[in-house]
Amino acid sequence: MIQAADIREWRNRDVVDPKGRKIGVLEAIYVDTTTDEPAMATVRAGLPTRHHLVFVPLDDAILGPDYVKVSYVKALVKKAPSVGMDDILPAEAEEAVFQHYGMTYQPGAAGERQLARR
C-alpha cells in the first residue's frame, strides 16, 4: 500500500496491471476520508490527444522502482468510470467507481464523500 508520505513521489509513475502491462501514468491519489489512507488513484490513459483519468483502487498495490503495480487487470481498469483531465470526480459519481470494482461504497453519516484528492 502506498503510504501517505509517499504520494507525491509516485505521481507520474507508470501504473501496471498484475501481468506488468502498462495501464497509464499515475496522476493523483484519492484518500478515504474516514481513515485518510490512500484508497484510489487516477491514471492518465488513452491516446495522447484524448487523455482521460480512470480510477483504480490501491488495495494491494505494489511499488516498484519506476512503477505502481495494481491488483486489477488492464481491461477492467480501462472500462472504469473516468473524468476529463481537468475535471474532478463529482460526489454523485463516487458510488459508480466502487461498484465497477465490486467494492462497497460507504459515504459519511451526513452524506460526506468517501474520497478526497490529495
Side-chain angles (χ1 to χ4, degrees):
M1 176 59 75
I2 295 176
Q3 298 302 312
D6 298 333
I7 290 173
R8 286 183 180 83
E9 180 180 330
W10 292 101
R11 191 163 186 254
N12 294 318
R13 302 288 178 155
D14 287 345
V15 176
V16 299
D17 75 359
K19 294 185 178 182
R21 293 177 295 208
K22 183 177 176 182
I23 298 169
V25 177
L26 195 143
E27 178 71 23
I29 301 290
Y30 283 74
V31 297
D32 184 311
T33 57
T34 58
T35 65
D36 206 35
E37 292 294 322
M40 297 254 181
T42 51
V43 178
R44 191 169 53 238
L47 300 172
T49 57
R50 294 179 30 205
H51 279 135
H52 58 280
L53 300 174
V54 293
F55 289 82
V56 63
L58 292 174
D59 53 324
D60 301 323
I62 298 170
L63 303 176
D66 58 354
Y67 63 86
V68 177
K69 184 183 287 187
V70 295
S71 58
Y72 298 89
V73 296
K74 181 178 181 176
L76 180 64
V77 177
K78 292 284 190 170
K79 293 178 183 175
S82 64
V83 295
M85 290 298 295
D86 295 324
D87 296 336
I88 59 167
L89 180 66
E92 60 274 5
E94 277 189 356
E95 187 171 4
V97 174
F98 284 81
Q99 287 178 345
H100 178 77
Y101 292 102
M103 301 169 69
T104 302
Y105 178 68
Q106 298 176 341
E112 300 93 350
R113 298 180 71 139
Q114 185 173 346
L115 297 174
R117 185 177 171 166
R118 290 282 187 259

